[in-house]
Amino acid sequence: MSDTPSLFEVDDASRPLADRLRPRALQDVLGQDHLLAAEAPIGRMVDAQRLVSMVLWGPPGCGKTTIARLLAEQTNLAFEQLSATFSGVADLRKVFELAQRRREIGQGTLLFVDEIHRFNRAQQDSFLPYVEDGTVILVGATTENPSFELNGALLSRCQVFVLRRLDDAALRTLITRAEALFGWPLPLTDEAREALTAMADGDGRYLLNMIEQVQGLPAPVDSAALAAAVQKRAPLYDKSQEGHYNLISALHKSMRGSDPDAALYWLARMLDGGEDPLFIARRITRFATEDIGMADPNAVHQALAAWDVYERLGSPEGELAIAQAVIYLATAPKSIGVYRGFSKALAAAKRTGSLMPPAHILNASTRLMKDLGYGKGYVYDPDTETGFSGANYFPDGLRRETYYEPTTLGYERAISERLRHWAALRDSSTSGPTPEADAI
């Protein structure tokens, strides 16, 4: 879309600015060239005049509804729109019946369903025969991950296209378009223009709504005046949906990658979005055992201390303890030796069933047990010259296996050297446990 109002229909100032500036051609849609350009997937479909059913997945204000309307217009399909928030099976049935009548006279139908993830599984199933036989071209719009919210049968009949949040360049273009439509510049200082873009947080519709609020203010409007006049868009973060898992994954991987600055950023994003700090405390404690383990045995204590401090102080004071733990964990040496070792041991335990421990490490609690050889030949390691007997502690019939393989990072370097020393002692030993030793 160019920066002049000539691309739009006769302007009606009573309509919302977002509607007045709605693009009239796919090439005028901002920020989605990866889908709409001539050589991009949707662009190729339009050029061939052959659409398939699809799901448009993206954040609010990125153009999903506009794209659906333009797809219908540019492929000569009748446009039907429903919102899953307000519509039910009866509404769907009417649309399908109308689409069938159109089909009989050679007219296709594009059915746009906004918030399609809000339809339940049975309602989603009602689409299947009509999508399957081409009665409708379904275009669903959702802000939620379709993998979680749409059933597999419907997803198998639709292509999923991911739309992007509008970047700063696209948002600045929207501001320019609005000014071209008004015929005068917004009364903003340069700093305030950048602040306005940041406040939109990638949502084009929200940006245009803010522009409507500021376009009549007396100039000059600086950043402070702008903040007083309009409300910053709340960050996109749903504690029960995908954003919740995306951000905790980002925090986890930033700590794993030893990047304390990125880790602090994602921590701040989660807290700013309203995440429960105790959820974060639990997750970083898991991180301490899973990703650091014996490379720094103190890591788990730092995580638990942060958890305890937050429970005692609450927000916002206790959040600083979580931030401290995040920095400690991000800068600690990393090892998944414990995690891998335990996983291997679990697999071996399931594979070997109920093998008994060797008799020499069993306590002889009764005379019968002693007569059966329980505890016979056990060597008390601290009494040996090296403090290491080299005895076998695996079940009889199971070859010795190595599960825990320490790294050379952090405290595990010393552990690795110690295990190598013990392995050498074990290999050099030619005698078994001392037969005369009694069970301890």
Side-chain angles (χ1 to χ4, degrees), residues 203-315:
D203 187 330
R205 185 188 306 110
Y206 196 84
L207 174 68
L208 295 174
N209 291 340
M210 290 192 294
I211 288 174
E212 286 191 292
Q213 297 178 59
V214 302
Q215 58 101 5
L217 296 177
V221 176
D222 59 15
S223 297
L226 178 65
V230 298
Q231 179 66 44
K232 176 185 177 182
R233 180 182 179 279
L236 275 180
Y237 188 76
D238 189 331
K239 292 185 288 180
S240 64
Q241 300 295 333
E242 194 198 13
H244 167 81
Y245 299 104
N246 284 347
L247 267 62
I248 193 62
S249 176
L251 172 61
H252 193 120
K253 289 179 173 63
S254 297
M255 292 190 297
R256 179 182 291 160
S258 301
D259 190 333
D261 299 310
L264 284 176
Y265 171 78
W266 294 117
L267 171 65
R269 279 281 302 276
M270 295 182 77
L271 293 173
D272 185 54
E275 182 57 78
D276 180 2
L278 290 177
F279 167 76
I280 302 174
R282 288 191 296 271
R283 288 296 298 251
I284 67 173
T285 301
R286 171 192 166 184
F287 177 89
T289 56
E290 179 179 325
D291 284 81
I292 298 175
M294 293 300 293
D296 184 353
N298 192 48
V300 68
H301 298 296
Q302 291 289 326
L304 287 171
W307 191 341
D308 185 46
V309 169
Y310 181 81
E311 287 190 319
R312 292 170 182 267
L313 296 183
S315 292

Side-chain angles (χ1 to χ4, degrees), residues 2-3 16 31 39 56 99-100 107 123 176 184 233 268 277 306-307 335 345 351 357 359 405-407 420 439:
S2 71
D3 297 334
E39 297 304 317
L56 303 177
Q100 285 175 322
Q107 173 70 59
Q123 290 169 319
T176 303
W184 60 80
R233 180 182 179 279
W307 191 341
S335 170
R351 184 181 72 249
E405 299 180 19
T407 68
R420 282 198 298 271

